[in-house]
Amino acid sequence: MPCVAEILIPLALDSAYSYAVPAGLDLSVGEVVQIPLGPRETVGVVWGVRQSPGGSNLRPVTGRIDVPALPDALRELVDWLARYTLAPKGSALAMALRLPDEAALTETIRVGVRASGKAPARPTAARTKVLAVAADGAMRGKSALAKEAGVSLSVVDGLIDDGALEAVALAPEPVAQPPDPDHARVPLSEAQEAAVRELVALMNPAPDAPPPTDAIGDPLPAAAADGKVPPPGAEAKAPTVLLEGVTGSGKTEVYFEAVADCVRRGHQALILMPEIALTAQFLDRFAERFGARPAAWHSGVGGKRRERIRAGVTAGEIAVVVGARSALFLPFADLGLIVVDEEHEAAYKQEDGVHYHARDMAVVRGRIENCPVVLASATPSIETRVNAERGRYRRIALPERFGGRRLPDIAAIDMRADKPERGRFIAPALVAAVRETVTSGDQALLFLNRRGYAPLTLCRACGHRYQCRNCSTWLVEHRFRRALVCHQCGYAERRPESCSECGTFDNLTPCGPGVERIAEEVAELFPDKRVIVLSSDFPGGAERLRAELQTVAEGGCDIVIGTQLVAKGHNFPHLTLVGVLDADIGLTSGDPRAAERTFQLLQQVTGRAGRGEKPGRALLQTYQPDHPVIAALLSGDSERFYEEEIGAREAAGLPPFGRLAALIVSANEREVAEAHGQALARAAEPPDGVMVLGPAEAPLALIRGRYRFRLLVKTERSIDLQTYLRAWLARGPKIRGNVKVAIDVDPQSFL
DNA sequence: GGAGATTCGTCA
DNA sequence: GACGAATCTCCC
């Protein structure tokens, strides 16, 4: 009987296409094939094979492509992701299927050179320099040798031609060495040891131990759609564990031991990091513990290297991958552990193309692979805390800092009582604290989450406020760049000399502070102190930033002024004072997660203080010292924050408790969108709220979508919603146009 | 994701 | 009403 293959193509297509399988070609599920699509040839993955009676008029599969088949677990993940996010299946597949591209195949072979011992025929000055460097007989890269000798590449090439240097093709640099789980076990505190024991025990339940009490993660869509959610404890599932440790408690060392245990048992481990934190510093730290660097996977890894990592992961030769969210789609042969570091980070959310949250997909992949997932954070997201409280996730806490260090004392500066001088932004009490800190030789950090010089510019003559022409936000003055910049969309214009509205010359006033302006104030207050401003938009890029972070860490500066990038990762052992210049920033943003985000950010920032020998303290400049978030920070009791916030969310129906709400964004047919909204509101089970936004109000990201309009729905239980919406759409309100439904579990991105 | 068909938006 | 730009539809 002729054979038909269902082929999923990595394009924005909702379902697999059917192709005839030519006689003699024996295809199995997961294999990569070449197929005709319209006028061209593309690749696809076999999603199913079936016997089909009768001659078919289907186009035939062209042939098999010689790459490893997509593992079952990944196909399951693709199906799951597509159903959950309502993304086209093909788009989900595209994330898991990255075929070698042209650049990857034509990678140049690296050439190493070393002295051959022969003297060059014509020893010029440049040649002598090169040979002096190469005299040690060591093997070097061609360009490395030229650089070290301070000459151009052609000199080296000349010496190779001459025979004075011999060139040898080098084996490609290994993407990862095998980690040694017992390389250098660092001494752990008692609390860390206990956490490690608990974690390892959870990962490897004794065969006769009772199964975990509850299923983890969301029910799989298949189960939910059928209404067959497995009863608690039905199967022994690998657990999802929240590893919650205050800043400086040594969470990393704890999960490193989990990784070591996983490697010892011969399985692979994946450590996910939010993009920004994927630094060389972390890889070094890993190398100290395991004696080898892990494979690093992120958008910057390209070409052949990417392919080699994929191949190594497929073959099971690479034991540990440290990567950004896309590493979730690597074809691991035997995944034994997933760690999501800083699980609360918003960077785990993919906002373009397929919308997904890497933390949640990690839990899903863990479930599919039946491997444990560790979510690590000092300030977990509310969702994760709620999941832990409900018993879906296990929780291991590290309530104290490593090495007996204390968490910084946090105090408020009430800005209503202790006002800065006119035109200044640092309150006298904070100025005094900084002075005290720097005179005793310690470092102070002034934190303000505002880039640029001033967040608003207005004309004193006519009151004109400079606004972005694309968005409705104020333009931020950047003095270094002499420009007014929109932080929303990137629009920039030259800072005008005279008002563009009334023409008055030199009468524009900056309103409010940005880090550049604070730097100015600090320079006046502490003219003889070394100051470094750390802001993501400063010239010099990542290179300079790294150097400056290094300087700060080594104590080569007295006062640091920084935006949110100082909140994460880096260890500043000399820092004993953190001053938050505007603790209220972000509390009033209307974002349902404003409180959570502010709490997390300020907790992380203030936690920078006192990581070294001396204890630290933090001062928060605030106009609302009684605000629940500020009060929780001041009390030093984060449990209090979580309790209050979870209670408040539950009462207000905000995520993760929001029941059902719909948002309709219409790019160009507002009346159609409104009809949808009204129909949805009249539906048998109306959502809690329907919102219709026109193109002007809609976030840019949504308008850029390729659909005429788009229905976005958010709730924790998106699976139920999806079923509901499908039913609603099937009943079909008579509205023309192409309806696409997308689900985002996190509404804040488009509210 | 890409090509070809269709509709939109703007200008006279 | 025409024309370039934006958007939609179709690929088994």
Side-chain angles (χ1 to χ4, degrees), chain A residues 722-735:
Chain A
Q722 186 182 345
T723 318
Y724 159 68
L725 271 169
R726 287 238 165 95
W728 177 70
L729 289 169
R731 267 181 272 135
K734 291 227 179 339
I735 295 165

Side-chain angles (χ1 to χ4, degrees), chain A residues 120-132 151 154-155 158-159 162:
Chain A
R122 280 171 283 105
T124 63
R127 289 185 165 196
T128 315
K129 268 195 278 182
V130 172
L131 289 174
V151 300
S154 57
V155 181
L159 283 169
D162 219 25

